[in-house]
Amino acid sequence: MRKPAARWSALADRIDSATPGDRDRSVDALRVFAIVGVVLGHWLVTSLTATDGGLRGTSPLVHMPWLAPVSWVFQTLAVFFLVGGHVAARGYASARERGVSYGAWVRRRLGRLFRPVAAVLVLWAVVAGGLLLGGAEWDTVRTLLRLVWSPLWFLLVFAVLTAATPLVARLSPLWPTAVVAGVDLWRFGFDGPQWTGWVNVAAGWLVPYTLGAAWARGAFTGRRPALLLLVGGAAATAGLVLWGGYPASMVGVPGAAVSNLNPPTLAAVAFGLAQCGLALLLREPLARALRRPRTWATVALVNLSAMTVFLWHQTAMMSVTALGLLVSSDLPGLHTVPGTAGWIAARLLWLPVFAAALAVCRSAFHVYERPRGHRPRPRPRHTVRTGPASRPHGRLGASERETARA
């Protein structure tokens, strides 16, 4: 039996050889960065405390507002929409060239989103019903459901933008940015009704999505436009936070009067522009790093499970938290109030445990992320050839191309 390192090296070489030569590997790396950022961000700024026999949700940002810079690192949704707009625009253009209808294209794209979502909703509907029948407090069940379902809002927005790709692919990002600015001026400057802010849910995320579509058209071939996005977005964000009255945190803080994320504000859009600029500047260094087979294989395999990882990461955290109650209701970093530096240190130690639980969820539910009708083929018993006509290379390449979803 070959050692694990040798087997991994051989698999990485096969994946690398199976990857089409014209594939932009930096796109896959940016998607992984966005997903991992969201997952780690939720695990670090979301806490379930054991109170009066139940679980209540809170955030270390409530008790330690000086942690706001953490949200600048892990709030990576703008990069996700940037990559999504890029992939959707290229995919739709390719579909048109091949004579694929809009209906067939959009059904395939949205099917990749909603099949794994359906699995999450069904399982948690059953779990919630079982908890209520078992005597759990409604507040506890509501807290758990909110943690599971709250990240799903952006998938609905993403699905709408994906379906509207033919209409918005050539839209200038300046237009949705102007809409967000106008809505914020109306809400905060003229005391307009707060419900108007929900217009920004579509307009705010349309900004990075249209940037991604422009990227697909070759708008960022040089470094200067990306550098302008980074510098201009960062300067605008700093100005809006320091003098515009916007909160410093780029994620929602329970109890805060204003959230930059729910719905998106002009500060969140400016911050997203800076993130997109940085992401575009990193394309070439990422592409060079991903020429190494092991690095590329890691990114490719994570992409194959990107939606599963996103949908089940909160379930993994809550499972560990619930199982921890069997040991103690006062485990540091898990059930305790997130109000000290000691909690942060303890929380970091729990991250590998959350990751292990997520790996279990991935193994159980990744099947729903595969294309409909996909069936794994048995491994050939003969020696794998290294040439481009090798059958295993063709199969790995087909599976790998599934990472190009949003």
Side-chain angles (χ1 to χ4, degrees):
M1 177 181 291
R2 291 187 296 176
K3 294 181 179 179
R7 291 199 298 269
W8 167 240
S9 181
L11 175 61
D13 288 338
R14 291 200 300 271
I15 293 175
D16 183 66
S17 300
T19 303
D22 61 348
R23 186 183 186 94
D24 187 348
R25 300 183 181 192
S26 67
V27 174
D28 299 88
L30 290 174
R31 183 189 292 111
V32 168
F33 166 77
I35 291 294
V36 172
V38 170
V39 170
L40 291 178
H42 282 160
W43 285 352
L44 289 171
V45 303
T46 303
S47 176
L48 290 170
T49 59
T51 306
D52 298 329
L55 292 173
R56 301 292 183 269
T58 186
S59 170
L61 295 173
V62 174
H63 306 276
M64 297 177 285
W66 51 268
L67 284 176
V70 172
S71 68
W72 306 346
V73 178
F74 295 108
Q75 207 294 75
T76 52
L77 284 177
V79 177
F80 190 92
F81 278 91
L82 172 77
V83 173
H86 175 80
V87 171
R90 291 192 62 181
Y92 181 65
S94 176
R96 291 188 62 185
E97 291 175 0
R98 291 181 283 112
V100 177
S101 69
Y102 165 77
W105 174 80
V106 78
R107 282 194 300 271
R108 185 182 180 191
R109 295 284 301 174
L110 297 186
R112 290 172 173 179
L113 287 175
F114 291 131
R115 280 193 300 272
V117 169
V120 174
L121 296 179
V122 169
L123 182 137
W124 270 98
V126 174
V127 169
L131 289 173
L132 291 173
L133 291 175
E137 293 183 1
W138 166 243
D139 286 343
T140 296
V141 176
R142 182 177 59 184
T143 297
L144 298 178
L145 290 178
R146 184 183 294 117
L147 289 178
V148 173
W149 291 347
S150 61
L152 301 184
W153 65 263
F154 102 93
L155 288 181
L156 180 60
V157 178
F158 189 85
V160 171
L161 296 184
T162 299
T165 295
L167 298 176
V168 302
R170 293 190 173 275
L171 183 69
S172 169
L174 293 175
W175 291 110
T177 302
V179 171
V180 173
V183 169
D184 275 13
L185 180 63
W186 175 248
R187 285 198 299 158
F188 304 133
F190 295 97
D191 294 325
Q194 291 302 303
W195 62 262
T196 57
W198 295 106
V199 173
N200 288 352
V201 172
W205 299 117
L206 187 57
V207 175
Y209 194 87
T210 53
L211 280 174
W215 173 18
R217 299 194 303 271
F220 297 98
T221 53
R223 293 176 57 85
R224 185 176 180 181
L227 187 61
L228 288 174
L229 279 178
L230 172 59
V231 175
T237 304
L240 289 168
V241 170
L242 293 174
W243 301 295
Y246 288 88
S249 174
M250 290 299 150
V251 299
V253 179
V258 177
S259 167
N260 273 323
L261 192 60
N262 192 27
T265 63
L266 186 59
V269 170
F271 180 76
L273 291 175
Q275 277 192 326
C276 291
L278 178 60
L280 291 167
L281 287 172
L282 290 175
R283 286 176 299 166
E284 292 184 8
L286 285 173
R288 289 194 296 269
L290 293 170
R291 291 171 189 162
R292 296 191 287 269
R294 292 190 182 189
T295 305
W296 167 239
T298 301
V299 169
L301 292 175
V302 172
N303 265 295
L304 285 172
S305 305
M307 192 56 59
T308 304
V309 168
F310 175 79
L311 291 172
W312 292 96
H313 73 278
Q314 293 286 58
T315 298
M317 182 196 72
M318 288 185 287
S319 298
V320 172
T321 304
L323 290 174
L325 291 173
L326 300 177
V327 178
S328 171
S329 62
D330 197 32
L331 290 176
L334 198 62
H335 308 125
T336 54
V337 175
T340 65
W343 182 93
I344 300 172
R347 188 63 162 197
L348 292 175
L349 296 177
W350 283 107
L351 295 186
V353 184
F354 296 161
L358 181 56
V360 173
C361 293
R362 184 266 175 201
S363 298
F365 299 103
H366 175 56
V367 64
Y368 297 102
E369 195 168 355
R370 296 173 182 170
R372 185 172 296 174
H374 172 82
R375 293 291 184 272
R377 301 179 184 179
R379 276 188 169 182
R381 295 182 179 274
H382 58 275
T383 302
V384 176
R385 292 182 293 161
T386 58
S390 167
R391 183 62 179 172
H393 284 186
R395 177 166 58 86
L396 282 172
S399 297
E400 192 181 24
R401 282 192 291 273
E402 292 304 320
T403 63
R405 64 189 173 282

